[in-house]
Amino acid sequence: MPHELVRPPKARRGDRVAVLSPSFAAAGAFPAVHEQAMRRLAEVTGLVPVEFPATRKVGATPAERAADVNAAFADPGIRAILAVVGGDDQITVIPHLDAALARRDPRPFLGYSDNTHMHHWLWVNGIASFYGGSSQVHLGPGPGVDEVHARSLRAALVTGDRIEITEPGESEDFGVDWADPRALDCFGEREPAGPWSWHGPARTVTGRAWGGCVEVIEETFIAGRFPFAPGVLDGGVLLLETSEELLPARHVGWIVRALGERGILAAVAAVLVARPPVSDFTRRPPAAERARLRAEQRDVVTGIISRYNPDAVVCAASRSATPARSGSSRTAAPSPSTAPCAASPLTTHSQANRPDPGPRPPQRITATHVPAHGTRSRL
């Protein structure tokens, strides 16, 4: 039997959106960026941002953060929920959540990275959600909101428009330090993202999506919070991304290999692999080394997937472009768009990136639900 998911209704302009910190309270640690994000959230969506007691409380306990989530679901005036940013301990929040409240009145939830825990909790309880960006990363910093983020944010929370995910053209591993006043006006150093690479058979795949940050997926299985046989993901689309922890390619490979042994890779029909961050404020390899690190992770991940499921269509957003100067963080990294988990389908397509003796149809992946979490990599 397929796992049934309820698609929460969209918010309407003028409705209230809860802005919560289920992980790190970046809103309290860096209020100037947060307040700019709140102004832009209202401008971009027409929604009214509402903060809760722990939104700006740095060091809030797991119970306090969970109380905000429960209160947001209990308040009939709140019609959407947006996470401020990720973090590294949301796993401790999940036991304090009230599933009955969420099931009684579902509403769209949007977040990524450590928020994979929230996405998976909602998914287990039959509620679709949106794997996407965050207010502190994608709305607050810089001279304005990238249109790719604004368009997908509106689709996820308000309009329900169908969004086709296309190559973003450029990416940054990390932006300006949020403590620096320049963060309000400047983006980080961006570099060409390069074309995607496609692997597996040239065919169209349509399915519900599941996944998110690989480190959180690992935590989810270790904590025993995936109470299903792998077949629940039959024909689905697996989402994989890595955090600003900058795991070595071999470590990422160990996690993906474990998913193969668990039967997850064999169950899904397609895999989307995000462009990994390979630098941060303290580690900035030269451009050629960054390109090599991304290619190494791509090759390790796609190679493991092909061994466990040679029929899977795989799209990896890390084919090297001509290296440019650039500058990364499991809390905040630019993610190009919001993958629709609840209503609007996500579509990606491109020509297969390999020698071809003749014309062939493009590979295409359509994901109708994306319950997961994220980091700051662009796909």
Side-chain angles (χ1 to χ4, degrees):
M1 287 289 291
H3 183 56
E4 298 298 329
L5 295 177
V6 172
R7 302 184 182 190
K10 299 298 181 189
R12 299 178 180 178
R13 293 183 66 85
D15 282 349
R16 298 190 297 159
V17 53
V19 180
L20 307 182
S21 297
S23 295
F24 172 54
F30 308 100
V33 172
H34 171 69
E35 287 159 13
Q36 181 158 277
M38 296 302 93
R39 293 192 294 271
R40 290 174 174 175
L41 174 60
E43 293 166 0
V44 168
T45 65
L47 301 177
V48 179
V50 177
E51 299 183 28
F52 281 67
T55 298
R56 301 197 190 202
K57 186 175 181 180
V58 178
T61 66
E64 288 174 317
R65 286 175 272 154
D68 280 2
V69 176
N70 291 334
F73 276 111
D75 185 343
I78 297 295
R79 301 318 310 161
I81 301 173
L82 174 64
V84 168
V85 77
D88 64 9
D89 71 342
Q90 196 174 107
I91 189 172
T92 65
V93 173
I94 301 303
H96 301 281
L97 298 178
D98 188 334
L101 287 174
R103 287 194 296 260
R104 185 160 60 237
D105 187 10
R107 65 285 310 265
F109 172 77
L110 181 65
Y112 79 132
S113 193
D114 202 31
N115 291 288
T116 295
H117 286 293
M118 275 289 300
H119 285 294
H120 181 66
W121 177 78
L122 290 167
W123 191 84
V124 166
N125 284 288
I127 302 168
S129 57
F130 288 83
Y131 183 78
S134 68
S135 61
Q136 192 78 6
V137 178
H138 304 94
L139 296 179
V145 179
D146 285 321
E147 180 54 30
V148 67
H149 300 314
R151 183 172 66 250
S152 58
L153 178 64
R154 285 191 294 265
L157 299 184
V158 182
T159 67
D161 290 343
R162 180 186 178 95
I163 297 293
E164 183 167 356
I165 307 302
T166 57
E167 295 170 4
E170 62 180 11
S171 180
E172 63 186 48
D173 276 358
F174 59 91
V176 177
D177 190 317
W178 293 330
D180 188 329
R182 292 175 297 175
L184 298 173
D185 303 305
C186 302
F187 291 129
E189 293 185 50
R190 297 183 172 189
E191 64 184 334
W196 299 336
S197 63
W198 291 81
H199 309 262
R203 64 189 179 101
T204 296
V205 171
T206 299
R208 299 193 312 188
W210 179 89
C213 180
V214 296
E215 294 100 313
V216 175
I217 293 173
E218 180 181 46
E219 289 181 333
T220 297
F221 280 102
I222 292 174
R225 293 177 183 169
F226 188 85
F228 305 99
V232 73
L233 299 176
D234 280 352
V237 178
L238 176 64
L239 308 181
L240 297 176
E241 70 168 354
T242 53
S243 77
E244 83 277 5
E245 296 298 325
L246 309 186
L247 295 185
R250 68 181 184 279
H251 193 158
V252 177
W254 296 337
I255 298 174
V256 176
R257 184 177 63 189
L259 292 178
E261 290 297 315
R262 183 68 172 77
I264 301 299
L265 298 183
V268 300
V271 185
L272 297 179
V273 184
R275 174 183 170 91
V278 294
S279 61
D280 60 19
F281 287 117
T282 62
R283 293 165 286 183
R284 293 193 55 166
E289 177 65 5
R290 295 197 301 273
R292 186 195 69 78
L293 290 169
R294 291 191 177 99
E296 180 184 24
Q297 187 174 129
R298 176 204 64 214
D299 293 345
V300 166
V301 171
T302 58
I304 291 171
I305 295 169
S306 69
R307 290 201 295 273
Y308 284 93
N309 187 352
D311 294 325
V313 175
V314 181
C315 177
S318 57
R319 177 167 169 243
S320 300
T322 301
R325 295 194 342 159
S326 151
S328 193
S329 175
R330 179 172 151 184
T331 310
S335 174
S337 68
T338 298
C341 292
S344 315
L346 164 115
T347 303
T348 64
H349 62 87
S350 175
Q351 253 338 101
N353 234 341
R354 58 173 185 253
D356 195 337
R360 71 196 300 166
Q363 292 166 300
R364 181 182 294 268
I365 300 172
T366 303
T368 53
H369 298 282
V370 185
H373 134 125
T375 137
R376 19 146 155 270
S377 302
R378 289 187 178 237
L379 177 68

